[in-house]
Amino acid sequence: EEIAVEVMRAGLDDYILKSPEHEVRLTASVKASLARAAGRRRLREAEGRAESLFEESHAPMLVIDPQTGIVVAANPAACRFYGWPREKMAGMGAWELSADSREEVLGRLRAALDEGERYFQAPHRLANGQVCEVEIYTGTMQVQGRSLLYGIIHDITDRKLAEEALRRERDFNRALVHSSPAFFVAVGLDGKTLMANEAMLQALGYHADEVVGQEFLRRFIPEEVWDEVRGLFRGVADPGLYVRGEIPVMASDGRRLLVEWHGQPVTGED
């Protein structure tokens, strides 16, 4: 039995003493051993698939110890993206790959582990000093009793630059509209005023809170021309149709101003 104990410590599944009273265990022991062997085989196959996915993925992937912030492993795509050799990346602090402070990075890792935060965006620094905006999808994994984080990294620098360019363009257009001496008004499909620029408000004697959300026709248009204006609105509602005409608008004191109307549909948040 001492020999059997030693070999089981070395990895043996089971043993049976060579005696008649123990032979009845033979069938059950063999079945159990085969089941355990099959389980180990499936585990090795799963680990092999996971390793293959990690190694062959075109997306940069990192495995990080969230307690220390140290990079445990980096796949070849991550090494290409960050520009560091693999032997250098394993052992680097995650903050060394980030443009944020060490405290911010460690806090983000703890949130991913403890609070289940599975997505965030952050600026990362490459080996050449270039800063890229990335989005990171994270998950947890158990390796030899340790809880580790894996991260899948996507470079979104171009997308962020495009978003910033679009924001600047919108800000410019908004400033242009509000500073223009011409009247600008936006009316929703429900007929309510969405905005009116400063030139229109001042000329007609209104404050923005007196017109935004109010029915455009009732606030600005004499009742006798409502049908005509509704016809203009229907024309504007057709995609891509540009409408032009002359209509009277009413000021807050009852004055009427004849204005030339140019209308076209506008889509999106603006």
Side-chain angles (χ1 to χ4, degrees):
E1 290 192 13
E2 292 179 0
I3 296 175
V5 170
E6 289 299 322
V7 294
M8 286 194 72
R9 287 175 178 170
L12 183 71
D13 278 329
D14 200 356
Y15 73 95
I16 300 173
L17 293 177
K18 191 175 181 180
S19 64
E21 64 268 23
H22 291 98
E23 289 181 1
V24 294
R25 293 181 49 208
L26 180 59
T27 301
S29 180
V30 169
K31 289 182 177 179
S33 295
L34 290 174
R36 286 192 289 268
R40 288 195 297 269
R41 184 176 64 255
R42 288 193 295 271
L43 179 59
R44 287 194 299 270
E45 290 173 352
E47 290 174 344
R49 288 193 295 269
E51 183 178 1
S52 177
L53 177 64
F54 183 77
E55 293 294 327
E56 298 175 11
S57 173
H58 294 293
M61 300 176 68
L62 299 174
V63 178
I64 299 173
D65 185 336
Q67 303 301 330
T68 63
I70 299 300
V71 176
V72 176
N75 73 344
C79 298
R80 289 192 297 270
F81 175 67
Y82 288 102
W84 292 105
R86 198 166 192 177
E87 59 274 15
K88 169 70 174 177
M89 289 197 72
M92 291 179 69
W95 55 88
E96 296 180 78
L97 304 175
S98 175
D100 291 330
S101 69
R102 175 174 178 166
E103 291 71 22
E104 288 176 301
V105 173
L106 291 176
R108 200 172 288 134
L109 293 175
R110 285 191 292 268
L113 180 65
D114 300 334
E115 302 170 19
E117 188 68 39
R118 291 292 177 256
Y119 172 84
F120 56 88
Q121 295 183 6
H124 275 200
R125 192 183 307 279
L126 308 184
N128 62 8
Q130 178 185 351
V131 174
C132 296
E133 290 291 333
V134 301
E135 60 182 8
I136 305 173
Y137 295 86
T138 67
T140 58
M141 58 191 299
Q142 295 293 320
V143 178
Q144 297 178 348
R146 284 197 303 170
S147 292
L148 301 177
L149 288 175
Y150 67 84
I152 303 173
I153 297 106
H154 298 285
D155 184 1
I156 58 171
T157 304
D158 290 343
R159 189 180 83 192
K160 298 292 284 187
L161 290 174
E163 289 173 352
E164 177 61 20
L166 181 60
R167 185 194 63 77
R168 288 197 299 267
E169 181 182 357
R170 286 175 174 169
D171 289 347
F172 174 78
N173 290 339
R174 190 176 291 113
L176 186 65
V177 165
H178 284 285
S179 63
S180 173
F183 292 2
F184 279 89
V185 61
V187 181
L189 294 176
D190 59 359
K192 293 183 178 180
T193 303
L194 301 176
M195 63 78 63
N197 73 338
E198 194 62 29
M200 181 173 179
L201 293 173
Q202 287 185 0
L204 300 182
Y206 287 107
H207 294 288
D209 56 6
E210 295 177 297
V211 301
V212 173
Q214 302 298 313
E215 290 189 27
F216 176 78
L217 292 180
R218 293 184 181 277
R219 177 65 69 187
F220 292 113
I221 306 301
E223 187 172 357
E224 64 269 19
V225 295
W226 280 5
D227 288 343
E228 179 184 350
V229 174
R230 286 193 182 103
L232 292 174
F233 281 2
R234 283 192 294 271
V236 171
D238 291 334
L241 187 60
Y242 176 83
V243 176
R244 177 178 176 179
E246 290 185 353
I247 59 171
V249 294
M250 295 186 301
S252 60
D253 58 7
R255 291 177 296 113
R256 295 191 180 192
L257 287 73
L258 184 64
V259 299
E260 186 177 60
W261 169 278
H262 301 261
Q264 65 183 57
V266 177
T267 60
E269 62 185 58
D270 287 342

PDB file of all heavy atoms in Angstrom, residues 13 21 26 37 54 61 80 101 109 120 144 169 199:
ATOM      1  N   ASP A  13      -4.337   7.252 -11.050  1.00  0.00           N
ATOM      2  CA  ASP A  13      -5.755   7.474 -10.775  1.00  0.00           C
ATOM      3  C   ASP A  13      -6.251   6.654  -9.590  1.00  0.00           C
ATOM      4  O   ASP A  13      -6.975   7.139  -8.729  1.00  0.00           O
ATOM      5  CB  ASP A  13      -6.599   7.118 -12.017  1.00  0.00           C
ATOM      6  CG  ASP A  13      -6.623   8.247 -13.012  1.00  0.00           C
ATOM      7  OD1 ASP A  13      -6.550   9.400 -12.569  1.00  0.00           O
ATOM      8  OD2 ASP A  13      -6.701   7.976 -14.225  1.00  0.00           O
ATOM      9  N   GLU A  21     -10.942 -10.198  -2.304  1.00  0.00           N
ATOM     10  CA  GLU A  21     -11.990  -9.293  -1.816  1.00  0.00           C
ATOM     11  C   GLU A  21     -11.951  -7.928  -2.497  1.00  0.00           C
ATOM     12  O   GLU A  21     -12.907  -7.167  -2.456  1.00  0.00           O
ATOM     13  CB  GLU A  21     -11.881  -9.122  -0.293  1.00  0.00           C
ATOM     14  CG  GLU A  21     -10.599  -8.458   0.201  1.00  0.00           C
ATOM     15  CD  GLU A  21      -9.540  -9.507   0.527  1.00  0.00           C
ATOM     16  OE1 GLU A  21      -9.606 -10.629  -0.013  1.00  0.00           O
ATOM     17  OE2 GLU A  21      -8.653  -9.190   1.334  1.00  0.00           O
ATOM     18  N   LEU A  26     -12.722  -3.804  -9.503  1.00  0.00           N
ATOM     19  CA  LEU A  26     -11.967  -3.626 -10.730  1.00  0.00           C
ATOM     20  C   LEU A  26     -12.778  -2.900 -11.808  1.00  0.00           C
ATOM     21  O   LEU A  26     -12.316  -1.918 -12.392  1.00  0.00           O
ATOM     22  CB  LEU A  26     -11.493  -4.983 -11.257  1.00  0.00           C
ATOM     23  CG  LEU A  26     -10.671  -4.934 -12.552  1.00  0.00           C
ATOM     24  CD1 LEU A  26      -9.433  -4.079 -12.352  1.00  0.00           C
ATOM     25  CD2 LEU A  26     -10.294  -6.346 -12.996  1.00  0.00           C
ATOM     26  N   ALA A  37      -9.699  10.176 -17.355  1.00  0.00           N
ATOM     27  CA  ALA A  37      -8.780  10.379 -18.479  1.00  0.00           C
ATOM     28  C   ALA A  37      -9.450  11.160 -19.598  1.00  0.00           C
ATOM     29  O   ALA A  37      -8.843  12.046 -20.216  1.00  0.00           O
ATOM     30  CB  ALA A  37      -8.293   9.021 -18.988  1.00  0.00           C
ATOM     31  N   PHE A  54      -5.632  32.674 -28.636  1.00  0.00           N
ATOM     32  CA  PHE A  54      -4.805  33.754 -28.097  1.00  0.00           C
ATOM     33  C   PHE A  54      -3.637  34.054 -29.027  1.00  0.00           C
ATOM     34  O   PHE A  54      -3.345  35.216 -29.348  1.00  0.00           O
ATOM     35  CB  PHE A  54      -4.305  33.350 -26.713  1.00  0.00           C
ATOM     36  CG  PHE A  54      -3.496  34.399 -26.014  1.00  0.00           C
ATOM     37  CD1 PHE A  54      -4.099  35.494 -25.422  1.00  0.00           C
ATOM     38  CD2 PHE A  54      -2.108  34.287 -25.935  1.00  0.00           C
ATOM     39  CE1 PHE A  54      -3.348  36.459 -24.768  1.00  0.00           C
ATOM     40  CE2 PHE A  54      -1.351  35.237 -25.279  1.00  0.00           C
ATOM     41  CZ  PHE A  54      -1.966  36.328 -24.698  1.00  0.00           C
ATOM     42  N   MET A  61      -4.262  41.110 -27.589  1.00  0.00           N
ATOM     43  CA  MET A  61      -4.823  40.532 -26.371  1.00  0.00           C
ATOM     44  C   MET A  61      -3.753  40.520 -25.285  1.00  0.00           C
ATOM     45  O   MET A  61      -2.590  40.202 -25.545  1.00  0.00           O
ATOM     46  CB  MET A  61      -5.351  39.113 -26.619  1.00  0.00           C
ATOM     47  CG  MET A  61      -6.451  39.034 -27.659  1.00  0.00           C
ATOM     48  SD  MET A  61      -6.989  37.325 -28.019  1.00  0.00           S
ATOM     49  CE  MET A  61      -7.781  36.905 -26.464  1.00  0.00           C
ATOM     50  N   ARG A  80       2.864  43.456 -31.833  1.00  0.00           N
ATOM     51  CA  ARG A  80       2.944  44.262 -33.062  1.00  0.00           C
ATOM     52  C   ARG A  80       2.305  45.627 -32.848  1.00  0.00           C
ATOM     53  O   ARG A  80       2.825  46.652 -33.310  1.00  0.00           O
ATOM     54  CB  ARG A  80       2.261  43.528 -34.216  1.00  0.00           C
ATOM     55  CG  ARG A  80       3.020  42.314 -34.725  1.00  0.00           C
ATOM     56  CD  ARG A  80       2.438  41.819 -36.045  1.00  0.00           C
ATOM     57  NE  ARG A  80       1.057  41.367 -35.902  1.00  0.00           N
ATOM     58  CZ  ARG A  80       0.701  40.124 -35.607  1.00  0.00           C
ATOM     59  NH1 ARG A  80       1.638  39.204 -35.396  1.00  0.00           N
ATOM     60  NH2 ARG A  80      -0.570  39.785 -35.513  1.00  0.00           N
ATOM     61  N   SER A 101      -2.435  57.602 -15.411  1.00  0.00           N
ATOM     62  CA  SER A 101      -1.556  57.366 -14.275  1.00  0.00           C
ATOM     63  C   SER A 101      -1.664  55.927 -13.792  1.00  0.00           C
ATOM     64  O   SER A 101      -2.626  55.211 -14.100  1.00  0.00           O
ATOM     65  CB  SER A 101      -1.930  58.310 -13.120  1.00  0.00           C
ATOM     66  OG  SER A 101      -3.197  57.942 -12.587  1.00  0.00           O
ATOM     67  N   LEU A 109      -8.501  48.293 -13.384  1.00  0.00           N
ATOM     68  CA  LEU A 109      -8.356  46.835 -13.304  1.00  0.00           C
ATOM     69  C   LEU A 109      -9.177  46.271 -12.152  1.00  0.00           C
ATOM     70  O   LEU A 109      -9.822  45.221 -12.285  1.00  0.00           O
ATOM     71  CB  LEU A 109      -6.884  46.462 -13.133  1.00  0.00           C
ATOM     72  CG  LEU A 109      -5.960  46.754 -14.323  1.00  0.00           C
ATOM     73  CD1 LEU A 109      -4.521  46.441 -13.960  1.00  0.00           C
ATOM     74  CD2 LEU A 109      -6.383  45.973 -15.550  1.00  0.00           C
ATOM     75  N   PHE A 120     -14.281  49.510 -21.493  1.00  0.00           N
ATOM     76  CA  PHE A 120     -13.902  50.895 -21.234  1.00  0.00           C
ATOM     77  C   PHE A 120     -12.999  51.386 -22.358  1.00  0.00           C
ATOM     78  O   PHE A 120     -12.461  50.595 -23.139  1.00  0.00           O
ATOM     79  CB  PHE A 120     -13.214  51.053 -19.867  1.00  0.00           C
ATOM     80  CG  PHE A 120     -12.007  50.193 -19.648  1.00  0.00           C
ATOM     81  CD1 PHE A 120     -10.750  50.622 -20.022  1.00  0.00           C
ATOM     82  CD2 PHE A 120     -12.130  48.945 -19.043  1.00  0.00           C
ATOM     83  CE1 PHE A 120      -9.628  49.830 -19.814  1.00  0.00           C
ATOM     84  CE2 PHE A 120     -11.020  48.155 -18.823  1.00  0.00           C
ATOM     85  CZ  PHE A 120      -9.765  48.599 -19.203  1.00  0.00           C
ATOM     86  N   GLN A 144      -4.194  28.415 -12.328  1.00  0.00           N
ATOM     87  CA  GLN A 144      -3.473  27.910 -11.163  1.00  0.00           C
ATOM     88  C   GLN A 144      -3.908  28.613  -9.877  1.00  0.00           C
ATOM     89  O   GLN A 144      -3.091  29.037  -9.049  1.00  0.00           O
ATOM     90  CB  GLN A 144      -1.963  28.060 -11.364  1.00  0.00           C
ATOM     91  CG  GLN A 144      -1.424  27.254 -12.539  1.00  0.00           C
ATOM     92  CD  GLN A 144       0.061  27.437 -12.754  1.00  0.00           C
ATOM     93  OE1 GLN A 144       0.676  28.322 -12.178  1.00  0.00           O
ATOM     94  NE2 GLN A 144       0.628  26.598 -13.603  1.00  0.00           N
ATOM     95  N   GLU A 169     -17.275  70.492 -36.541  1.00  0.00           N
ATOM     96  CA  GLU A 169     -18.096  70.984 -37.646  1.00  0.00           C
ATOM     97  C   GLU A 169     -19.489  71.371 -37.152  1.00  0.00           C
ATOM     98  O   GLU A 169     -20.035  72.406 -37.540  1.00  0.00           O
ATOM     99  CB  GLU A 169     -18.198  69.921 -38.737  1.00  0.00           C
ATOM    100  CG  GLU A 169     -19.020  70.364 -39.947  1.00  0.00           C
ATOM    101  CD  GLU A 169     -19.143  69.273 -40.994  1.00  0.00           C
ATOM    102  OE1 GLU A 169     -18.548  68.196 -40.811  1.00  0.00           O
ATOM    103  OE2 GLU A 169     -19.842  69.506 -41.991  1.00  0.00           O
ATOM    104  N   ALA A 199     -31.173  86.203 -34.032  1.00  0.00           N
ATOM    105  CA  ALA A 199     -31.672  87.271 -34.908  1.00  0.00           C
ATOM    106  C   ALA A 199     -33.191  87.212 -35.021  1.00  0.00           C
ATOM    107  O   ALA A 199     -33.881  88.247 -34.957  1.00  0.00           O
ATOM    108  CB  ALA A 199     -31.035  87.142 -36.292  1.00  0.00           C
TER     109      ALA A 199
END
